[in-house]
Amino acid sequence: MFSEVKICIIGLGYVGLPLAVEFGKIFPTIGFDINTKRIEELKSGHDRTLEVESDKLNSSNHLNYTSNTADIDSANVYIVTVPTPIDENKSPDLTPLVKASEMLAGIVTKNDVIIYESTVYPGATEEVCIPIIEAGSSLKYNVDFFAGYSPERINPGDKEHRVTSIKKVTSGSNDKIATFVDELYKTIITAGTHKASSIRVAEAAKVIENTQRDLNIALINELAIIFNNLNIDTEEVLKAAGTKWNFLPFRPGLVGGHCIGVDPYYLTYKAQSIGYNPEIILAGRRINDGMGKYVVSVLIKAMIKKRVHVDNANVLLLGITFKENCPDLRNTKVVDIVVELKEYNVNVDIYDPWVSSEDALNEYGLDLVDKPENNKYDAVIIAVAHNEFIEIGAAGLRDFLRLDGLIYDLKYLFDRSETDIRL
């Protein structure tokens, strides 16, 4: 069934690269990315996302990397793993997906299969991508070429749940192709697959996975705000409630990243396009998007109560990534804290051992410090739960503070008695 399969992975980020490495163990595979610097790094054995170990990047004779479209026209299975962000108006930005489809339109030939993994709203693959390929290739969908959708489930920085060990949802443009796509992924996914009845079902399944998590976190964030106003420790409440067997173990915090803080807007966009206003989903988004501003408001009030002068104060922000122990900066909501603090004319030093200064500067125009200074800061905000911050310890963080300085623990890294403010 797969004797003639040659795979091309389009987009070698957190999703595409691990996929290319796994498929490259079995099939002739080409990893394609328009970023020539990225291709050069991969060829030299370096993955800046830290998702794939250096010794695995070039360990297979079946896998090659390229940024040249002329190198990929020999493939017959194309898997698209480009980003699907939102724009400044929080609407889906399908530009990377459209450009990838336009490129494929000039490459695909008869009987090729194109599988999309990028997160989209239900219907996007067949309503947006496929017409682009049909128009540019003069090939007819489900006659001359075929499509599948298998949503990514990559969890950046997670060394336990890898691409092969996470169950994969698959689908195809007809029954035969659905079976082909499902069997193709089964060759690398040890956790098994779930074949959806249609591409639209698979798209919808993906977009609600993170919408559900977003809403659960929004509920806990709102509870944290309520409990803070009641002078009740939120973590103590959650631990007590967690003694019931079916209480879900969510924690409050900043909701960023390429999935949870983005995917719900894809679903609400589609809902609004058909005349339905999704009130609960958007309410959750408003709460989570407002947490950066809320965090700063709590800090400023605490500083005023301790008579710490806010204007021109120095604050150390620990962590800038969207989650712990990974270098991923995409859609990090820690940036909201930086922006809000500067509204109060506060000087902010950012320390993150997982991020290069170049990446932070290119992505957000922010400078990082190589090492925090002792006795400099009026407050330390623990924004990301990197292992390095745990190793420093609460007592070590106190060394960074001036007299009457505050430790604000957003991640519950330390005991309540060791910090001054908690989320």
Side-chain angles (χ1 to χ4, degrees):
M1 183 179 185
F2 300 121
S3 59
E4 301 299 323
V5 164
K6 185 173 184 180
I7 298 172
C8 174
I9 309 292
I10 298 174
L12 298 177
Y14 286 85
V15 176
L17 180 62
L19 202 64
V21 169
E22 294 303 324
F23 274 126
K25 295 175 181 178
I26 303 172
F27 304 103
T29 302
I30 307 167
F32 174 86
D33 201 290
I34 59 173
N35 186 336
T36 55
K37 183 179 179 181
R38 172 72 166 157
I39 295 299
E40 291 170 2
E41 288 177 348
L42 295 176
K43 286 182 176 179
S44 68
H46 173 61
D47 171 27
R48 63 170 53 223
T49 70
L50 305 182
E51 289 299 301
V52 179
E53 294 80 2
S54 296
D55 60 343
K56 294 181 180 178
L57 288 175
N58 297 292
S59 61
S60 171
N61 293 328
H62 300 301
L63 176 61
N64 294 295
Y65 304 105
T66 187
S67 57
N68 188 348
T69 55
D71 295 334
I72 67 175
D73 60 4
S74 61
N76 48 30
V77 175
Y78 295 91
I79 302 178
V80 181
T81 61
V82 298
T84 43
I86 52 175
D87 62 21
E88 59 185 12
N89 298 314
K90 302 188 187 304
S91 295
D93 180 4
L94 297 178
T95 302
L97 207 57
V98 167
K99 289 188 176 297
S101 299
E102 289 172 344
M103 181 187 72
L104 284 171
I107 295 172
V108 295
T109 56
K110 194 172 178 61
N111 295 323
D112 285 355
V113 178
I114 302 169
I115 304 168
Y116 289 89
E117 288 212 5
S118 307
T119 302
V120 291
Y121 53 77
T125 298
E126 292 172 298
E127 294 167 9
V128 177
C129 302
I130 298 305
I132 291 172
I133 296 171
E134 281 190 313
S137 67
S138 299
L139 299 176
K140 189 171 178 58
Y141 178 49
N142 262 351
V143 175
D144 300 314
F145 75 98
F146 306 90
Y149 183 79
S150 182
E152 60 89 2
R153 281 178 166 170
I154 292 293
N155 188 26
D158 189 337
K159 300 305 180 184
E160 179 182 354
H161 301 97
R162 313 300 292 162
V163 63
T164 58
S165 61
I166 302 172
K167 195 162 189 173
K168 200 86 161 71
V169 174
T170 65
S171 64
S173 53
N174 61 35
D175 289 343
K176 182 179 178 181
I177 296 301
T179 299
F180 170 80
V181 172
D182 192 64
E183 293 296 327
L184 181 68
Y185 278 101
K186 279 181 179 177
T187 63
I188 64 167
I189 306 296
T190 57
T193 61
H194 175 92
K195 185 168 66 172
S197 62
S198 69
I199 288 175
R200 288 168 63 88
V201 167
E203 290 168 327
K206 170 57 182 178
V207 82
I208 72 165
E209 289 175 14
N210 290 314
T211 299
Q212 182 186 66
R213 285 181 55 79
D214 191 45
L215 283 171
N216 277 310
I217 298 170
L219 171 61
I220 302 301
N221 275 337
E222 187 164 56
L223 292 175
I225 294 170
I226 294 170
F227 295 144
N228 285 345
N229 287 331
L230 293 171
N231 292 318
I232 300 173
D233 186 77
T234 301
E235 187 187 31
E236 289 186 14
V237 174
L238 294 175
K239 283 182 176 179
T243 59
K244 189 167 187 280
W245 76 91
N246 59 353
F247 186 82
L248 301 177
F250 286 93
R251 290 292 183 269
L254 305 172
V255 183
H258 66 297
C259 287
I260 301 178
V262 173
D263 295 357
Y265 287 119
Y266 274 74
L267 185 57
T268 58
Y269 168 85
K270 186 62 175 179
Q272 290 167 334
S273 74
I274 59 173
Y276 180 77
N277 185 44
E279 297 180 14
I280 293 176
I281 299 172
L282 288 175
R285 281 279 77 233
R286 284 191 294 272
I287 290 171
N288 287 341
D289 278 347
M291 287 306 291
K293 188 171 185 177
Y294 172 75
V295 163
V296 173
S297 71
V298 170
L299 175 63
I300 297 300
K301 288 176 183 177
M303 292 172 69
I304 292 172
K305 284 182 180 179
K306 290 197 73 172
R307 300 185 182 280
V308 176
H309 196 57
V310 173
D311 184 48
N312 210 34
N314 294 323
V315 171
L316 174 63
L317 191 58
L318 295 179
I320 189 69
T321 59
F322 90 89
K323 64 176 295 187
E324 67 277 4
N325 304 322
C326 84
D328 198 342
L329 288 170
R330 289 175 296 174
N331 193 39
T332 174
K333 292 302 176 182
V334 181
V335 172
D336 294 353
I337 295 178
V338 179
V339 172
E340 191 66 16
L341 282 171
K342 289 184 177 179
E343 287 291 314
Y344 288 92
N345 198 35
V346 169
N347 306 311
V348 183
D349 280 359
I350 305 168
Y351 174 60
D352 194 318
W354 283 83
V355 177
S356 73
S357 296
E358 180 185 2
D359 288 344
L361 189 63
N362 291 340
E363 191 74 22
Y364 297 107
L366 296 173
D367 292 313
L368 305 184
V369 297
D370 294 329
K371 184 180 179 181
E373 297 180 32
N374 285 346
N375 305 311
K376 176 180 178 180
Y377 304 100
D378 299 291
V380 172
I381 302 176
I382 306 168
V384 186
H386 291 323
N387 288 338
E388 287 84 350
F389 304 151
I390 298 173
E391 291 172 4
I392 292 174
L397 296 182
R398 291 281 176 197
D399 292 338
F400 300 143
L401 293 173
R402 294 171 174 169
L403 186 65
D404 293 327
L406 300 160
I407 295 178
Y408 193 173
D409 188 357
L410 304 186
K411 305 301 292 185
Y412 301 144
L413 286 195
F414 305 110
D415 186 80
R416 183 183 182 185
S417 63
E418 297 179 288
T419 60
D420 302 286
I421 321 169
R422 301 215 292 178
L423 187 57

